[in-house]
Amino acid sequence: MKDLNESDVDDAVLTEFFNKVAFFLVYPYFRATLTQMAGNMEVPIPVLPVVQQGDAAFSDIEVKRPETKK
């Protein structure tokens, strides 16, 4: 993996990774931040739904790649 170049990873693989892994890694932090913000503002804490794989799909992700040397 250390020799893998960013341009070698297909956009479809990145989209699949985001749909299956990245969203679910970020979601708990989003929930915690939202809860903390509501507490700081002294408003009722919003109830967020439990999200399961397949509930959220991101198919139109635009992948911006830095210029790389080949």
Side-chain angles (χ1 to χ4, degrees):
M1 294 296 288
K2 66 181 179 179
D3 296 329
L4 187 65
N5 190 341
E6 294 172 356
S7 61
D8 295 337
V9 180
D10 187 19
D11 289 355
V13 172
L14 292 175
T15 301
E16 183 177 356
F17 172 78
F18 190 84
N19 284 325
K20 292 185 177 180
V21 179
F23 177 77
F24 298 99
L25 290 175
V26 173
Y27 193 66
Y29 295 101
F30 171 72
R31 289 173 50 132
T33 301
L34 197 58
T35 301
Q36 184 180 20
M37 289 173 59
N40 290 343
M41 294 187 296
E42 298 178 359
V43 297
I45 298 171
V47 178
L48 295 177
V50 174
V51 180
Q52 297 179 353
Q53 189 170 357
D55 289 347
F58 303 91
S59 59
D60 295 332
I61 297 174
E62 181 181 346
V63 179
K64 294 185 179 182
R65 300 177 187 276
E67 294 294 326
T68 57
K69 297 178 183 176
K70 288 192 175 189

